[in-house]
Amino acid sequence: MITDVSVPSLLQRSPYLDISLSAQTGKGTIFNIISGKSYEVSPVIISILDFFKKPATIDGLLVDMDLGADQVDQALTYLQKNGLLLDLSEEGWERFTTDVIAVKNRIFGVDAYHDRAEVVIVGIPFGKGNGKSMGGAEFPFHIREFSQNNNLLLKGADFLLFDRLTATRLQPLFRGGKLVDYGNLFISANESTAFIYAKMHQVASQLFDAGKIPAFIGGDHSISYPLIKAAAEQYPNLHVIHFDAHTDTYGSRYDHVNHWGKVHHYGNFMTKCLELDNVQEVYQFGIRGFANAGAKARPKQHIRWCHQVSEQLRQGYRFDLPDDVPYYVTFDVDVLDPTVLPGTATPVAGGFSLAEVKQLFDQLLPGRKIVGFDIVEANPAFDPTDLTTQVAMEILLRLMSYLTIS
Ligand SMILES: [Mn+2]
């Protein structure tokens, strides 16, 4: 508050505002590009924002503008509360530059975000990281519509869809508001790709910091890099379980130029993850196809070929992964065979059946400390029958069933 000037706050106008002043009405309009919200304000407010174009303290403002301290106090409180003016000396000011837009058709009819939530579903409607199709951006909207159209409220009886063990594990999650739907990351067409990735990272960091388990719904696979980076900052011994037909460590001629402002893409996000010190080991399941003919594992990368895993599952082999370490799970739906899941931009023949994925989950996931997960590359543009959405929905529920909640 401005009354306490012993340590003057350093304030700056949010860089994500579109401000206009109407000569006719004399009123100003502030449009927050990040949140999509707009505010009608008096010209005084606009002058205050103008003053804070560059970082400044309020002392300067009081001298400069000849305003009453009460008036200024009110104005600054209003501007800061709405994320229009940032206090650069306050820890966590960055969170006001990002936003998640709530949705009305929340998945499974769960609550909107609140502090008691333990598992938080967040849509990341971003598809520009996939060079073949941007359709993955539609999936967070699509899966919620699917949930609503099928009246999937999952308050009780619907659990009979699943085997008893899965149903038993899911029930506590749907009680007492432990699972919430946060909405979608707000993405504006004006934003650079690098900036959008930075926002994903910020939103993920806030959730990890608050001790929540985020369940991200993509989006193409490039989104997983900022999400895993945020997880690894919170959990320095992070292990990643990666389901995919692809290793996503591919080079591209675009990597050497700043192609469309991209910092990485769907085909090399794992290269970037392996470079993170806090990512300890990465276990890849389902790798196959001609794109991987010459695949060699890098340090920390453990490739489990699809045909090899299928055979091992038949023989009842136990996969040996470390216990008592935090895991992040990234699930590219193309790990499934295209006959099971056709709706993805880069299908690869010879993938897992749904039964194999269930078996693999049951082998790998019980008792693990899963700190977050994502499901990516489901693409409604290639999914006229909704088969992909059905399967992705089942994967989402099954992954959630292994989470540890209080
Ligand atoms: Mn893939």
Side-chain angles (χ1 to χ4, degrees):
M1 296 293 281
I2 84 152
T3 40
D4 177 16
V5 289
S6 52
V7 184
S9 296
L10 194 60
L11 302 173
Q12 187 179 9
R13 188 175 99 182
S14 162
Y16 310 112
L17 306 180
D18 190 2
I19 300 173
S20 54
L21 198 59
S22 160
Q24 280 171 344
T25 63
K27 289 239 170 204
T29 307
I30 308 169
F31 180 67
N32 185 335
I33 298 169
I34 303 293
S35 68
K37 291 175 189 149
S38 60
Y39 308 82
E40 198 170 73
V41 296
S42 69
V44 176
I45 298 275
I46 303 286
S47 327
I48 293 177
L49 281 178
D50 258 1
F51 178 83
F52 289 112
K53 243 183 200 166
K54 288 184 182 162
T57 64
I58 44 170
D59 293 351
L61 176 72
L62 290 170
V63 174
D64 209 58
M65 295 197 59
D66 191 29
L67 290 168
D70 271 4
Q71 206 181 354
V72 172
D73 192 9
Q74 259 183 15
L76 294 185
T77 306
Y78 172 81
L79 290 169
Q80 289 192 54
K81 205 180 76 188
N82 290 295
L84 306 171
L85 188 64
L86 309 172
D87 183 347
L88 305 184
S89 39
E90 181 193 13
E91 206 183 327
W93 64 269
E94 301 93 339
R95 71 180 188 272
F96 292 105
T97 65
T98 64
D99 223 335
V100 171
I101 301 300
V103 291
K104 289 222 166 99
N105 58 344
R106 294 188 295 275
I107 198 162
F108 314 126
V110 297
D111 291 353
Y113 185 85
H114 53 68
D115 284 344
R116 281 176 297 111
E118 295 184 35
V119 179
V120 180
I121 292 177
V122 190
I124 310 283
F126 182 79
K128 276 201 247 174
N130 185 315
K132 296 228 164 107
S133 164
M134 297 201 288
E138 291 303 314
F139 190 67
F141 304 98
H142 199 82
I143 193 169
R144 289 195 185 92
E145 267 166 41
F146 179 84
S147 159
Q148 195 176 37
N149 294 345
N150 287 281
N151 202 25
L152 279 181
L153 297 174
L154 299 184
K155 296 263 173 190
D158 310 63
F159 288 114
L160 298 175
L161 279 167
F162 296 102
D163 55 282
R164 189 195 290 217
L165 190 60
T166 310
T168 311
R169 284 195 308 244
L170 276 171
Q171 268 155 356
L173 192 61
F174 283 84
R175 286 202 201 107
K178 284 178 183 154
L179 173 68
V180 298
D181 186 344
Y182 201 3
N184 290 324
L185 183 78
F186 174 77
I187 295 174
S188 148
N190 305 327
E191 293 167 351
S192 74
T193 305
F195 178 71
I196 297 168
Y197 288 132
K199 284 207 301 187
M200 292 175 202
H201 176 259
Q202 274 184 32
V203 167
S205 295
Q206 286 156 28
L207 291 170
F208 288 123
D209 281 355
K212 311 295 183 195
I213 304 176
F216 300 103
I217 300 178
D220 71 70
H221 218 155
S222 71
I223 70 166
S224 301
Y225 173 60
L227 306 178
I228 289 174
K229 185 165 180 275
E233 284 160 3
Q234 185 72 27
Y235 302 99
N237 188 25
L238 192 70
H239 288 56
V240 177
I241 299 178
H242 176 192
F243 298 96
D244 205 323
H246 310 92
T247 60
D248 292 339
T249 50
Y250 310 111
S252 133
R253 63 199 167 90
Y254 293 131
D255 297 344
H256 304 288
V257 291
N258 192 14
H259 180 55
W260 302 325
K262 280 179 193 170
V263 288
H264 65 283
H265 51 74
Y266 74 127
N268 75 354
F269 92 91
M270 185 44 74
T271 308
K272 303 279 289 179
C273 291
L274 289 164
E275 286 165 6
L276 298 170
D277 286 344
N278 287 353
V279 170
Q280 294 290 317
E281 306 291 339
V282 175
Y283 303 93
Q284 301 187 314
F285 292 88
I287 307 303
R288 63 186 188 273
F290 298 117
N292 299 301
K296 273 200 198 108
R298 299 168 190 225
K300 309 199 277 194
Q301 181 188 15
H302 307 271
I303 299 175
R304 310 269 194 254
W305 296 88
C306 190
H307 61 88
Q308 182 189 15
V309 173
S310 293
E311 185 55 35
Q312 286 166 332
L313 286 173
R314 269 193 295 278
Q315 292 174 0
Y317 176 88
R318 308 295 305 176
F319 296 94
D320 198 17
L321 266 55
D323 294 321
D324 306 320
V325 294
Y327 281 93
Y328 182 95
V329 178
T330 179
F331 192 95
D332 183 330
V333 297
D334 71 24
V335 75
L336 284 144
D337 191 78
T339 56
V340 179
L341 189 136
T344 191
T346 49
V348 184
F352 289 135
S353 68
L354 190 52
E356 283 175 318
V357 168
K358 290 174 193 168
Q359 209 188 337
L360 194 50
F361 279 3
D362 272 335
Q363 263 260 8
L364 292 174
L365 304 180
R368 301 262 178 236
K369 183 187 178 185
I370 299 170
V371 299
F373 70 83
D374 62 53
I375 299 176
V376 296
E377 294 290 347
N379 191 323
F382 299 106
D383 189 31
T385 62
D386 268 341
L387 183 55
T388 298
T389 311
Q390 288 172 46
V391 176
M393 180 69 94
E394 173 149 5
I395 298 293
L396 171 65
L397 283 161
R398 285 189 181 273
L399 282 175
M400 289 199 304
S401 78
Y402 296 100
L403 302 176
T404 308
I405 54 167
S406 66

Coordinates of all heavy atoms in Angstrom, one line a residue, residues 244-246 332 334, ligand 1:
D244 N 5.0 -42.9 -26.5 CA 5.1 -42.3 -27.8 C 5.6 -43.3 -28.8 O 6.3 -44.2 -28.5 CB 6.1 -41.1 -27.7 CG 5.8 -40.0 -28.7 OD1 5.4 -40.3 -29.9 OD2 6.0 -38.8 -28.4
A245 N 5.1 -43.1 -30.1 CA 5.7 -43.8 -31.2 C 7.1 -43.3 -31.5 O 7.9 -43.9 -32.2 CB 4.8 -43.8 -32.4
H246 N 7.3 -42.0 -31.1 CA 8.5 -41.3 -31.5 C 9.4 -40.9 -30.4 O 8.8 -40.6 -29.3 CB 8.1 -39.9 -32.2 CG 7.0 -40.1 -33.3 ND1 5.7 -40.0 -33.1 CD2 7.2 -40.4 -34.6 CE1 5.0 -40.2 -34.2 NE2 5.9 -40.4 -35.2
D332 N 1.8 -39.3 -25.5 CA 1.5 -38.9 -26.9 C 0.5 -40.0 -27.3 O 0.9 -41.2 -27.3 CB 2.7 -38.9 -27.7 CG 2.5 -38.5 -29.2 OD1 1.4 -38.8 -29.7 OD2 3.4 -37.9 -29.8
D334 N -0.3 -41.1 -30.1 CA 0.2 -41.9 -31.2 C 0.9 -43.2 -30.8 O 1.3 -44.0 -31.6 CB 0.9 -41.1 -32.3 CG 2.3 -40.6 -31.9 OD1 2.9 -41.3 -31.0 OD2 2.7 -39.6 -32.5
Ligands
MN1 MN 4.6 -39.0 -31.4

